[in-house]
mmCIF file of all heavy atoms in Angstrom:
data_model
loop_
_atom_site.group_PDB
_atom_site.id
_atom_site.type_symbol
_atom_site.label_atom_id
_atom_site.label_comp_id
_atom_site.label_asym_id
_atom_site.label_seq_id
_atom_site.Cartn_x
_atom_site.Cartn_y
_atom_site.Cartn_z
ATOM 1 N N ASP A 104 -3.480 34.870 7.048
ATOM 2 C CA ASP A 104 -3.533 36.130 7.784
ATOM 3 C C ASP A 104 -4.382 37.179 7.077
ATOM 4 O O ASP A 104 -4.847 38.138 7.704
ATOM 5 C CB ASP A 104 -2.115 36.688 7.993
ATOM 6 C CG ASP A 104 -1.250 35.759 8.834
ATOM 7 O OD1 ASP A 104 -1.829 35.008 9.632
ATOM 8 O OD2 ASP A 104 -0.018 35.786 8.678
ATOM 9 N N ALA A 105 -4.606 37.001 5.774
ATOM 10 C CA ALA A 105 -5.326 38.017 5.003
ATOM 11 C C ALA A 105 -6.768 37.644 4.717
ATOM 12 O O ALA A 105 -7.509 38.458 4.158
ATOM 13 C CB ALA A 105 -4.600 38.270 3.674
ATOM 14 N N VAL A 106 -7.180 36.459 5.083
ATOM 15 C CA VAL A 106 -8.508 35.991 4.694
ATOM 16 C C VAL A 106 -9.614 36.785 5.403
ATOM 17 O O VAL A 106 -10.643 37.128 4.799
ATOM 18 C CB VAL A 106 -8.650 34.480 4.965
ATOM 19 C CG1 VAL A 106 -8.522 34.166 6.446
ATOM 20 C CG2 VAL A 106 -9.970 33.958 4.423
ATOM 21 N N GLU A 107 -9.414 37.106 6.669
ATOM 22 C CA GLU A 107 -10.441 37.837 7.408
ATOM 23 C C GLU A 107 -10.618 39.254 6.852
ATOM 24 O O GLU A 107 -11.745 39.735 6.674
ATOM 25 C CB GLU A 107 -10.063 37.885 8.893
ATOM 26 C CG GLU A 107 -11.135 38.507 9.769
ATOM 27 C CD GLU A 107 -10.766 38.467 11.254
ATOM 28 O OE1 GLU A 107 -9.761 37.791 11.597
ATOM 29 O OE2 GLU A 107 -11.472 39.118 12.053
ATOM 30 N N TYR A 108 -9.485 39.899 6.553
ATOM 31 C CA TYR A 108 -9.552 41.243 5.978
ATOM 32 C C TYR A 108 -10.234 41.223 4.616
ATOM 33 O O TYR A 108 -11.043 42.117 4.292
ATOM 34 C CB TYR A 108 -8.137 41.820 5.847
ATOM 35 C CG TYR A 108 -8.056 43.029 4.952
ATOM 36 C CD1 TYR A 108 -8.474 44.286 5.393
ATOM 37 C CD2 TYR A 108 -7.576 42.909 3.645
ATOM 38 C CE1 TYR A 108 -8.408 45.397 4.558
ATOM 39 C CE2 TYR A 108 -7.511 44.002 2.801
ATOM 40 C CZ TYR A 108 -7.927 45.230 3.260
ATOM 41 O OH TYR A 108 -7.889 46.326 2.437
ATOM 42 N N TYR A 109 -9.930 40.214 3.805
ATOM 43 C CA TYR A 109 -10.501 40.151 2.458
ATOM 44 C C TYR A 109 -12.020 40.051 2.508
ATOM 45 O O TYR A 109 -12.723 40.786 1.793
ATOM 46 C CB TYR A 109 -9.916 38.952 1.700
ATOM 47 C CG TYR A 109 -10.601 38.701 0.372
ATOM 48 C CD1 TYR A 109 -10.325 39.490 -0.729
ATOM 49 C CD2 TYR A 109 -11.534 37.674 0.245
ATOM 50 C CE1 TYR A 109 -10.968 39.272 -1.950
ATOM 51 C CE2 TYR A 109 -12.178 37.449 -0.965
ATOM 52 C CZ TYR A 109 -11.895 38.246 -2.059
ATOM 53 O OH TYR A 109 -12.540 38.029 -3.252
ATOM 54 N N PHE A 110 -12.560 39.180 3.341
ATOM 55 C CA PHE A 110 -14.008 39.023 3.400
ATOM 56 C C PHE A 110 -14.676 40.218 4.095
ATOM 57 O O PHE A 110 -15.863 40.497 3.848
ATOM 58 C CB PHE A 110 -14.375 37.715 4.101
ATOM 59 C CG PHE A 110 -14.212 36.505 3.213
ATOM 60 C CD1 PHE A 110 -13.160 35.634 3.396
ATOM 61 C CD2 PHE A 110 -15.108 36.261 2.183
ATOM 62 C CE1 PHE A 110 -12.998 34.523 2.575
ATOM 63 C CE2 PHE A 110 -14.963 35.156 1.362
ATOM 64 C CZ PHE A 110 -13.896 34.287 1.550
ATOM 65 N N ASN A 111 -13.929 40.916 4.938
ATOM 66 C CA ASN A 111 -14.466 42.153 5.515
ATOM 67 C C ASN A 111 -14.727 43.188 4.430
ATOM 68 O O ASN A 111 -15.711 43.949 4.489
ATOM 69 C CB ASN A 111 -13.503 42.719 6.558
ATOM 70 C CG ASN A 111 -13.517 41.914 7.844
ATOM 71 O OD1 ASN A 111 -14.426 41.119 8.087
ATOM 72 N ND2 ASN A 111 -12.519 42.129 8.690
ATOM 73 N N THR A 112 -13.846 43.227 3.413
ATOM 74 C CA THR A 112 -14.048 44.177 2.312
ATOM 75 C C THR A 112 -15.261 43.813 1.470
ATOM 76 O O THR A 112 -15.804 44.682 0.765
ATOM 77 C CB THR A 112 -12.797 44.211 1.414
ATOM 78 O OG1 THR A 112 -12.572 42.887 0.868
ATOM 79 C CG2 THR A 112 -11.579 44.650 2.201
ATOM 80 N N LEU A 113 -15.691 42.560 1.528
ATOM 81 C CA LEU A 113 -16.888 42.135 0.799
ATOM 82 C C LEU A 113 -18.152 42.283 1.628
ATOM 83 O O LEU A 113 -19.252 42.004 1.132
ATOM 84 C CB LEU A 113 -16.747 40.681 0.347
ATOM 85 C CG LEU A 113 -15.591 40.365 -0.613
ATOM 86 C CD1 LEU A 113 -15.608 38.882 -0.974
ATOM 87 C CD2 LEU A 113 -15.663 41.223 -1.872
ATOM 88 N N GLY A 114 -18.001 42.690 2.882
ATOM 89 C CA GLY A 114 -19.163 42.892 3.730
ATOM 90 C C GLY A 114 -19.443 41.765 4.701
ATOM 91 O O GLY A 114 -20.474 41.780 5.378
ATOM 92 N N TYR A 115 -18.544 40.813 4.805
ATOM 93 C CA TYR A 115 -18.744 39.679 5.718
ATOM 94 C C TYR A 115 -17.873 39.890 6.954
ATOM 95 O O TYR A 115 -16.646 39.965 6.848
ATOM 96 C CB TYR A 115 -18.385 38.361 5.036
ATOM 97 C CG TYR A 115 -19.358 37.965 3.945
ATOM 98 C CD1 TYR A 115 -19.184 38.429 2.647
ATOM 99 C CD2 TYR A 115 -20.444 37.156 4.221
ATOM 100 C CE1 TYR A 115 -20.076 38.089 1.639
ATOM 101 C CE2 TYR A 115 -21.345 36.798 3.219
ATOM 102 C CZ TYR A 115 -21.156 37.266 1.934
ATOM 103 O OH TYR A 115 -22.051 36.927 0.953
ATOM 104 N N ILE A 116 -18.517 39.981 8.102
ATOM 105 C CA ILE A 116 -17.813 40.260 9.351
ATOM 106 C C ILE A 116 -17.863 39.007 10.231
ATOM 107 O O ILE A 116 -18.931 38.400 10.411
ATOM 108 C CB ILE A 116 -18.449 41.456 10.092
ATOM 109 C CG1 ILE A 116 -18.544 42.666 9.159
ATOM 110 C CG2 ILE A 116 -17.648 41.790 11.337
ATOM 111 C CD1 ILE A 116 -17.208 43.142 8.629
ATOM 112 N N ILE A 117 -16.727 38.641 10.784
ATOM 113 C CA ILE A 117 -16.668 37.475 11.654
ATOM 114 C C ILE A 117 -17.196 37.826 13.041
ATOM 115 O O ILE A 117 -16.769 38.834 13.634
ATOM 116 C CB ILE A 117 -15.227 36.923 11.732
ATOM 117 C CG1 ILE A 117 -15.174 35.697 12.633
ATOM 118 C CG2 ILE A 117 -14.248 37.981 12.162
ATOM 119 C CD1 ILE A 117 -13.821 34.989 12.623
ATOM 120 N N PRO A 118 -18.123 37.069 13.590
ATOM 121 C CA PRO A 118 -18.623 37.347 14.951
ATOM 122 C C PRO A 118 -17.540 37.100 15.996
ATOM 123 O O PRO A 118 -16.577 36.349 15.769
ATOM 124 C CB PRO A 118 -19.791 36.370 15.104
ATOM 125 C CG PRO A 118 -20.161 35.955 13.710
ATOM 126 C CD PRO A 118 -18.889 36.004 12.924
ATOM 127 N N ASP A 119 -17.693 37.710 17.141
ATOM 128 C CA ASP A 119 -16.704 37.568 18.210
ATOM 129 C C ASP A 119 -16.638 36.141 18.733
ATOM 130 O O ASP A 119 -15.571 35.687 19.172
ATOM 131 C CB ASP A 119 -17.030 38.530 19.352
ATOM 132 C CG ASP A 119 -16.920 39.996 18.926
ATOM 133 O OD1 ASP A 119 -16.161 40.257 17.967
ATOM 134 O OD2 ASP A 119 -17.593 40.837 19.546
#
Side-chain angles (χ1 to χ4, degrees):
D104 297 334
V106 63
E107 186 177 351
Y108 165 77
Y109 172 77
F110 282 106
N111 286 344
T112 60
L113 299 181
Y115 290 87
I116 307 300
I117 181 173
D119 296 335

